[in-house]
Amino acid sequence: MKTRAITAFFFTIVMLGSILLGSYAFTIFYLILSGLSLFEFYKLIKNAGIRPHRNIGLMAGSLIFLMAAGLHYLEYDVKYLLLCIPLIFSVFITELYKKNKIPFANISYTFVGFVYVTIPFCFFHALGFLKNWNEYNFHLPLAFLLMLWANDTGAYLFGVKYGKRKLFERHSPKKSWEGFFGGMFTSILVAFALSFLFTESPSWVWMGMAVLIAGFGTLGDLVESMLKRSLDTKDSGGLLPGHGGLLDRFDGLLLAAPVVYAYLYLILY
């Protein structure tokens, strides 16, 4: 618990700093984080005997993130994102030269890495520019993380105290419905408090965001648990002592970020 607490403290400081120190720190930090998370995903998949195209995947994932981020800095036409396509689809050509009995499994999991890891981080990064396309604002990414952490904390505390009915025992035996609704309640409380601090949107928008984060964040946790169980692995990695890997810490973000971005974009614009 001591190791877990120390890791959580320093990592939280780094994450908050990356958001509060401006757009460049925010972009660089989440570029690195998305790359490390994608590397961790490919490493996990490799344990199952599948050989995704890690190097091409990491290059393509970095290019996708940089070009998505560049839309806000350079304001070029969205059509230039199509330049990613030759690199992404080069995995088909590369696989021709490999002697493997399951070539399309290798190709498929390379693409799954983009969808499961890279694109959600792109959406989370885009939250910082949602209010103004080319001007960074830390309110939404900071609120997102605070609500996500509140949900995790509330789910744990309510689950330990009141948890009786299993939420999804097949994938996560410790999760309970009491913990799920407790986490959502805690996240909504944080959202309501933030509505007084960040007044650019009404309180119901922030609270709706909290409901989505709690719901899809929990689903993201279950999906990552399903992935680990299918690979007979306890943790996604060992980068964060006491916590496991990056995918273990950001599983909620991976499913919640695209949904929250879509919700806010449709509601506010």
Side-chain angles (χ1 to χ4, degrees), residues 33 72 112 254:
L33 202 59
H72 306 291
V112 169
L254 297 179

Side-chain angles (χ1 to χ4, degrees), residues 30-46 52-65 109-121 236 246-247 250 254:
Y30 280 94
L31 169 64
I32 295 171
L33 202 59
S34 66
L36 290 174
S37 298
L38 186 58
F39 177 85
E40 192 174 88
F41 174 79
Y42 288 145
K43 187 177 179 181
L44 262 181
I45 297 303
K46 193 174 179 181
H53 296 261
R54 185 183 65 187
N55 294 335
I56 294 176
L58 291 173
M59 286 190 292
S62 299
L63 182 61
I64 291 169
F65 188 95
Y109 277 101
T110 304
F111 280 92
V112 169
F114 303 142
V115 176
Y116 181 57
V117 179
T118 304
I119 292 176
F121 273 111
S236 65
L246 291 172
L247 294 178
F250 291 98
L254 297 179

Side-chain angles (χ1 to χ4, degrees), residues 13-35:
I13 295 297
V14 171
M15 289 187 65
L16 293 178
S18 71
I19 291 174
L20 298 174
L21 289 176
S23 63
Y24 291 111
F26 180 62
T27 300
I28 292 170
F29 180 75
Y30 280 94
L31 169 64
I32 295 171
L33 202 59
S34 66

Side-chain angles (χ1 to χ4, degrees), residues 67-75 122 125-126 129-130 132-135 261:
M67 294 197 73
L71 288 171
H72 306 291
Y73 290 103
L74 304 176
E75 298 184 71
C122 290
H125 177 268
F129 299 87
L130 187 60
N132 191 324
W133 186 252
N134 61 350
E135 184 177 328
Y261 183 90

Side-chain angles (χ1 to χ4, degrees), residues 240-267:
L240 302 174
H243 290 262
L246 291 172
L247 294 178
D248 294 320
R249 292 303 93 208
F250 291 98
D251 48 11
L253 180 149
L254 297 179
L255 257 65
V259 176
V260 168
Y261 183 90
Y263 159 76
L264 291 172
Y265 190 87
L266 291 172
I267 290 293

